Amino acid sequence: MVGALLVDSPIKLLEKLKYEVSQKSSSNSFPELNAVRDAYHLREWIWHHYLEGQVVMQQQMMGIEGNQQDWEYFINNQFPKFQILKELCNGSKHFILRKKGQIVRALESGWDNQEWDTLPWDADGFYVELSDSSVLSISELLEAICDFWDQLFKDHALI
């Protein structure tokens, strides 16, 4: 696989993701937006680099021989908030916000946000409100998916 700017393997993309997660800022969403895309695309990179056509590795990781759809199902079951990550990633590609899925709106704390003062949390950063009215920290979501990918790599000796 030919990568961009020396990011040419899932391991390198995981390193980039860890770096981006470490660069979080309460006033600049760019590192988190980059991390969202990398965290989401690791799913595809791992499939093509390690699992596609590799029955033994598929069985070792997923517990079954399967295809890319089985891999996606496995990831969604192992990390249930992956669908939120997918919505954020897809939303980063489109100018017009589509009103379907779990995300109702994105929120930014601080910076004289009038609405922020009425919400039930007290930390600067970026959040999404979900259809069940809960609020999810993007930083916490990214830290969790980074830990998930890191553990998957370690559990299967991919690092």
Side-chain angles (χ1 to χ4, degrees):
M1 172 192 322
V2 176
L5 302 173
L6 302 178
V7 178
D8 59 359
S9 70
I11 293 169
K12 292 287 189 180
L13 190 57
L14 178 60
E15 289 174 14
K16 182 176 179 289
L17 172 61
K18 288 178 181 180
Y19 173 78
E20 289 164 345
V21 169
S22 76
Q23 299 300 305
K24 70 182 175 183
S25 165
S26 63
S27 62
N28 179 355
S29 65
F30 291 173
E32 287 171 321
L33 180 59
N34 287 336
V36 161
R37 287 185 278 208
D38 288 350
Y40 177 72
H41 285 104
L42 259 168
R43 169 199 48 84
E44 182 181 3
W45 282 46
I46 292 168
W47 172 259
H48 290 297
H49 193 84
Y50 294 112
L51 297 172
E52 189 173 33
Q54 301 297 319
V55 175
V56 172
M57 184 64 87
Q58 291 171 14
Q59 290 173 338
Q60 182 185 35
M61 271 197 198
M62 301 187 298
I64 62 166
E65 176 183 349
N67 57 27
Q68 190 169 1
Q69 185 176 1
D70 296 319
W71 169 242
E72 292 174 14
Y73 180 80
F74 171 79
I75 295 301
N76 290 335
N77 280 323
Q78 296 297 309
F79 194 86
K81 290 183 180 171
F82 198 80
Q83 289 300 330
I84 296 168
L85 196 66
K86 179 180 180 180
E87 284 185 47
L88 288 167
C89 186
N90 286 338
S92 75
K93 298 186 306 185
H94 303 288
F95 179 72
I96 297 172
L97 180 63
R98 298 198 164 96
K99 293 287 185 183
K100 60 181 182 177
Q102 296 180 63
I103 297 175
V104 174
R105 63 185 169 154
L107 303 165
E108 177 185 358
S109 68
W111 306 102
D112 290 331
N113 184 339
Q114 295 290 333
E115 188 175 14
W116 174 258
D117 294 334
T118 67
L119 297 172
W121 64 90
D122 186 28
D124 287 346
F126 302 96
Y127 298 83
V128 289
E129 181 181 355
L130 304 178
S131 57
D132 66 1
S133 298
S134 66
V135 175
L136 179 66
S137 162
I138 301 300
S139 291
E140 289 176 14
L141 175 64
L142 287 169
E143 288 171 9
I145 190 65
C146 191
D147 290 345
F148 171 79
W149 286 132
D150 195 44
Q151 192 61 52
L152 185 125
F153 275 64
K154 287 176 183 169
D155 288 348
H156 299 286
L158 304 178
I159 293 181

